[in-house]
Amino acid sequence: KSKKYGYDNVTVKAIESGIVIGVKQDPRYGYTIIIDHGQGYKSIYCNLSTLDMVFEGKTVEKGIRLFWVSLA
């Protein structure tokens, strides 16, 4: 019998302000969002439960809730 490790419905916040430049479903990483923070810095969020909170071109502020993630 296997055990379930992880957390369900974890809130993920933007690590820094930026612009969403990618919203996609990746075969390896599931739902994925890429944020461009400028000066060559980007953050990638993977294994997301939903993509309905952000869209390409959206400006996000540091600390704002982006989406839920399922880690289970």
Side-chain angles (χ1 to χ4, degrees), residues 8 20 35 56 67:
D8 286 329
V20 178
I35 299 176
E56 285 189 27
F67 40 78

Side-chain angles (χ1 to χ4, degrees), residues 13-21 33-37 43 45 53-55 57-67:
K13 298 179 180 181
I15 61 168
E16 191 57 66
S17 299
I19 298 173
V20 178
I21 61 168
I33 295 173
I34 303 169
I35 299 176
D36 186 341
H37 303 288
S43 57
Y45 303 86
M53 299 174 114
V54 296
F55 52 87
K58 179 176 182 173
T59 299
V60 296
E61 299 297 323
K62 179 180 181 178
I64 194 168
R65 185 182 85 189
L66 296 173
F67 40 78

Side-chain angles (χ1 to χ4, degrees), residues 9-46:
N9 298 326
V10 174
T11 299
V12 176
K13 298 179 180 181
I15 61 168
E16 191 57 66
S17 299
I19 298 173
V20 178
I21 61 168
V23 178
K24 62 182 179 177
Q25 184 171 10
D26 185 277
R28 293 174 293 171
Y29 303 116
Y31 292 124
T32 303
I33 295 173
I34 303 169
I35 299 176
D36 186 341
H37 303 288
Q39 299 181 10
Y41 293 100
K42 294 181 180 125
S43 57
I44 301 173
Y45 303 86
C46 304

